[in-house]
Amino acid sequence: MHKVSENARVLVQQELADKVFRMEVEAPQIAELARPGQFVHLRILTGSFLLRRPVGVAEADRKRGTVAFIYRVVGRGTEAMAGLVTGERVNLLGPLGHGFDCGVRHPLIVGGGMGLSPVLFYAAAMKGKAAVLMGGRSAAELFWQNLYAPYAEKIFCTTDDGSLGIKGFTTTLLPDLLQRGDYDLITACGPEVMMRGIARIAKEHGVRCQVSLEKRMGCGLGACLSCSIDTTDGNRRKVCKDGPVFEAGEVFA
């Protein structure tokens, strides 16, 4: 796959929710090449940050030459990302990895927490053909509705506390949606326990399922082996190079 190294200028830095930010950058080469589900390896050019960090592409606009990332501040690196202002630059290496299957008729996107970030790009690419099932702890965590509204056929919500939509988890509502819908693919991203449950339910209903995995990465190019995982066929795979999107049956028994 084609990849480039591009110094990208920050255009927008916006706080969407508590410690959740959307950063838009000018990166025409990445915007042209990126496919839903892929990621970039981002390096902050200021300060003492030598290592890159993998960041899923949440939006890519080829006409404007822009790419956006939605991320949560959890440590020193993401705190530095949130501190970047308009005009500053970051280096992007990518796009990396394999993405979701866009050649389907009627997909169901399932996302939990920050897992809703990389599948936003997929929703946009499907141009109104995808339904979305999103889960969070409370209504405040599902600010994602506004981001998905322009692209989603329907949006279904679950919250742990019942403050929005169905009380429970995405796996609580999923069986009912699969019985009522005619979905030909589930694309899932979120906590591993959630994706395991989704994969099991999809298998029970005979619906194909793809999952996006998240692992710590060193190089992002398949050389350092830090993101290697075991698969159901007994072979080792690299999340950065063979993924991050896998067929659910490859990684969850």
Side-chain angles (χ1 to χ4, degrees):
M1 291 188 177
H2 295 294
K3 57 183 177 289
V4 298
S5 176
E6 187 169 16
N7 285 338
R9 183 168 61 93
V10 176
L11 300 176
V12 177
Q13 184 78 265
Q14 175 188 10
E15 189 167 13
L16 300 177
D18 183 34
K19 294 188 176 181
V20 177
F21 289 80
R22 176 185 178 273
M23 183 171 74
E24 183 178 331
V25 300
E26 185 178 49
Q29 295 180 80
I30 300 286
E32 178 66 30
L33 295 170
R35 299 294 181 267
Q38 290 186 302
F39 68 98
V40 300
H41 231 192
L42 181 148
R43 185 162 67 89
I44 297 171
L45 299 176
T46 54
S48 58
F49 296 96
L50 300 177
L51 296 179
R52 295 178 179 270
R53 64 182 55 248
V55 186
V57 177
E59 303 169 52
D61 189 321
R62 293 181 184 178
K63 291 183 179 178
R64 295 176 58 237
T66 60
V67 177
F69 313 102
I70 300 174
Y71 62 97
R72 185 189 299 277
V73 174
V74 294
R76 198 169 66 91
T78 44
E79 186 175 3
M81 280 179 62
L84 295 170
V85 298
T86 301
E88 291 191 276
R89 293 182 184 272
V90 294
N91 181 265
L92 306 180
L93 176 65
L96 302 173
H98 295 274
F100 295 107
D101 184 354
C102 292
V104 295
R105 176 182 49 81
H106 189 203
L108 175 63
I109 297 168
V110 186
M114 292 307 297
L116 284 158
S117 175
V119 283
L120 177 61
F121 188 10
Y122 184 68
M126 295 310 295
K127 299 178 180 178
K129 294 192 291 185
V132 181
L133 169 58
M134 57 178 64
R137 287 177 294 185
S138 65
E141 285 196 359
L142 294 187
F143 61 87
W144 298 95
Q145 288 184 95
N146 295 330
L147 299 176
Y148 275 87
Y151 313 119
E153 174 199 47
K154 295 178 182 177
I155 298 176
F156 305 95
C157 298
T158 67
T159 47
D160 296 2
D161 62 4
S163 55
L164 180 66
I166 299 295
K167 183 176 183 179
F169 309 118
T170 54
T171 48
T172 306
L173 184 56
L174 181 58
D176 184 49
L177 294 184
L178 295 183
Q179 287 174 354
R180 292 190 283 122
D182 61 342
Y183 303 108
D184 55 350
L185 176 67
I186 296 171
T187 59
C189 188
E192 184 174 320
V193 64
M194 181 200 83
M195 291 193 291
R196 282 186 180 276
I198 290 166
R200 175 182 53 78
I201 294 168
K203 185 176 180 180
E204 291 171 354
H205 287 77
V207 180
R208 182 183 168 208
C209 180
Q210 291 185 321
V211 296
S212 177
L213 302 187
E214 181 179 348
K215 288 287 182 181
R216 289 187 179 275
M217 297 178 187
C219 70
L221 301 171
C224 72
L225 307 181
S226 65
C227 64
S228 294
I229 59 168
D230 291 315
T231 56
T232 53
D233 64 6
N235 293 318
R236 299 281 286 173
R237 295 285 189 273
K238 303 163 189 172
V239 171
C240 70
K241 191 173 182 179
D242 302 313
V245 175
F246 294 88
E247 297 293 327
E250 289 184 77
V251 292
F252 300 137

